[in-house]
Amino acid sequence: MDPIGFAKHDHDSCVADAVSSVEARCQSAGLQFTPVRKRVLEILLEEHRALGAYEILDRLRDENLGSQPPVAYRALDFLTKHGFVHKIERLNAFIACAHPHEVHTPAFLICRECNSVAEAETDLTQGRLAQIASATGFSIERAILEAEGLCPNCSPKHEASNA
Amino acid sequence: MDPIGFAKHDHDSCVADAVSSVEARCQSAGLQFTPVRKRVLEILLEEHRALGAYEILDRLRDENLGSQPPVAYRALDFLTKHGFVHKIERLNAFIACAHPHEVHTPAFLICRECNSVAEAETDLTQGRLAQIASATGFSIERAILEAEGLCPNCSPKHEASNA
DNA sequence: TTGATATATGTCATAGTATAACATATCAAC
DNA sequence: GTTGATATGTTATACTATGACATATATCAA
């Protein structure tokens, strides 16, 4: 339940594990995990940060996997629809899900300095918002929670060592 | 502390009150509440829903208050910067603040059927996200909380009466 | 009142994000 | 192998947002 994103980790295996996991879930759900979709997921996992659709498209173009915007957007639609990738609305960008094994409502910590993004878990059914929603008769289906600030690496303590 | 937005209320006075309140706050803070800025706020208050920048620009154009995108965006920048208006990232749209008297972190309930938006209050310092942030050394400065679902008026109970 | 500075507006141009529409290809089931 | 559903290729366009620079207005000091 750590908010993956600011700490070091074994990145190669993290990418491989995530791809395998998604592959398996597509298999069992009867979803087509096509080359473009797989490659887009890999790109996002390798970067481990939020990428714009056109950045992703540039990569696909270099690899002859597509050159027009719909190619990237369709793959991203598929991946986000099934929860393998999340969209960061604040940045108009996309990031691979850091917790692909569980259904969840993600929350993001976005560093305004280095643009790194950490994903944490939340529980919609708790908290003030849920109380207010149920009190007014609003039924929440999805939620976006994005916090902006300074990550540990960009906080003043670290800045001092650069000055 | 009710989530204004789905309930009936005295709309004329709500608009007038909000404009007066913003006017007073600009006065005391030495901010220029210019005609375009005031009109944009009024438009948002009158509609009482989220409007896109270009919808607002259309209104301004009709009233000869400006015809180019920067006119609308500058007014919206001013209003959002000072908390008189909020941006709904999910919709790329803007809505007048429903609680202009207090500094706050807004949370929004967005109806996917009728696009109405209700604003509620949250407290960033409580909850899971704050715990995770402090545990990882991330300092939250701002946050976006947008929930999507069905408002009371669009929930199945009401739909039945239309069928 | 004038001049200096900061702030706001008018306008043109362009950048960045996203989707509609339709033809073609591939997959999955019968 | 035909059929129907799903996915891709491609063109065009819509929607969202900002850079840049000239002009105007406000604020404040002398």
Side-chain angles (χ1 to χ4, degrees):
Chain A
M1 200 58 79
D2 280 338
I4 297 174
F6 301 136
K8 307 253 184 239
H9 60 280
D10 180 342
H11 201 52
D12 288 349
S13 78
C14 124
V15 171
D17 287 356
V19 171
S20 304
S21 166
V22 168
E23 200 144 29
R25 286 178 62 191
C26 285
Q27 184 82 5
S28 70
L31 302 172
Q32 298 185 43
F33 195 45
T34 65
V36 181
R37 291 168 178 179
K38 182 173 181 175
R39 190 65 194 119
V40 169
L41 179 64
E42 284 173 353
I43 289 167
L44 288 170
L45 286 164
E46 285 160 6
E47 281 292 332
H48 219 306
R49 64 185 177 92
L51 293 178
Y54 282 74
E55 285 183 272
I56 293 167
L57 181 58
D58 288 342
R59 305 282 204 100
L60 295 178
R61 187 179 292 120
D62 291 345
E63 303 174 18
N64 285 308
L65 279 170
S67 62
Q68 301 302 324
V71 173
Y73 280 104
R74 283 170 184 153
L76 289 167
D77 283 349
F78 170 87
L79 293 167
T80 54
K81 179 179 176 184
H82 297 290
F84 307 135
V85 161
H86 301 297
K87 181 173 185 185
I88 310 290
E89 298 287 346
R90 185 75 182 68
L91 305 176
N92 292 320
F94 301 84
I95 191 165
C97 178
H99 306 95
H101 307 287
E102 18 179 337
V103 173
H104 61 284
T105 294
F108 299 99
L109 300 172
I110 305 167
C111 179
R112 67 167 158 79
E113 197 67 26
C114 67
N115 275 309
S116 66
V117 176
E119 180 181 348
E121 303 282 327
T122 52
D123 186 348
L124 270 187
T125 63
Q126 298 175 207
R128 295 263 315 258
L129 192 61
Q131 290 170 19
I132 292 171
S134 81
T136 53
F138 187 100
S139 58
I140 297 176
E141 294 167 349
R142 301 189 295 133
I144 292 163
L145 181 40
E146 301 174 4
E148 193 176 307
L150 284 180
C151 78
N153 299 330
C154 295
S155 68
K157 219 183 292 178
H158 287 77
E159 275 174 19
S161 60
N162 293 336
Chain B
M1 198 58 78
D2 281 336
I4 296 174
F6 302 136
K8 307 253 182 238
H9 60 279
D10 181 342
H11 200 53
D12 286 350
S13 79
C14 126
V15 171
D17 287 357
V19 171
S20 304
S21 167
V22 168
E23 199 144 30
R25 286 178 61 190
C26 286
Q27 184 82 6
S28 69
L31 302 172
Q32 298 185 42
F33 195 46
T34 65
V36 181
R37 292 168 177 177
K38 182 172 181 176
R39 189 65 194 119
V40 169
L41 179 65
E42 284 173 351
I43 289 167
L44 287 171
L45 285 164
E46 285 161 5
E47 281 292 330
H48 220 305
R49 65 184 177 94
L51 293 178
Y54 282 73
E55 286 182 272
I56 292 167
L57 181 57
D58 287 343
R59 307 280 204 99
L60 295 178
R61 188 178 292 119
D62 291 345
E63 303 173 18
N64 285 309
L65 278 171
S67 62
Q68 301 301 322
V71 173
Y73 280 103
R74 283 170 184 151
L76 289 167
D77 284 349
F78 171 86
L79 294 167
T80 54
K81 178 178 176 184
H82 298 290
F84 306 136
V85 161
H86 302 296
K87 181 175 186 184
I88 310 290
E89 298 286 346
R90 185 75 182 70
L91 305 176
N92 292 319
F94 301 84
I95 192 165
C97 179
H99 305 95
H101 306 287
E102 19 180 334
V103 174
H104 61 287
T105 294
F108 299 99
L109 300 173
I110 306 167
C111 180
R112 68 167 157 78
E113 197 65 28
C114 68
N115 275 308
S116 66
V117 177
E119 179 181 349
E121 302 284 324
T122 53
D123 186 348
L124 269 188
T125 64
Q126 297 176 207
R128 294 262 315 257
L129 192 61
Q131 290 170 19
I132 292 171
S134 81
T136 54
F138 187 100
S139 57
I140 296 175
E141 294 167 350
R142 300 188 295 135
I144 292 163
L145 181 40
E146 300 174 4
E148 194 176 306
L150 284 181
C151 78
N153 298 330
C154 294
S155 69
K157 220 184 295 180
H158 287 77
E159 275 174 19
S161 61
N162 292 335

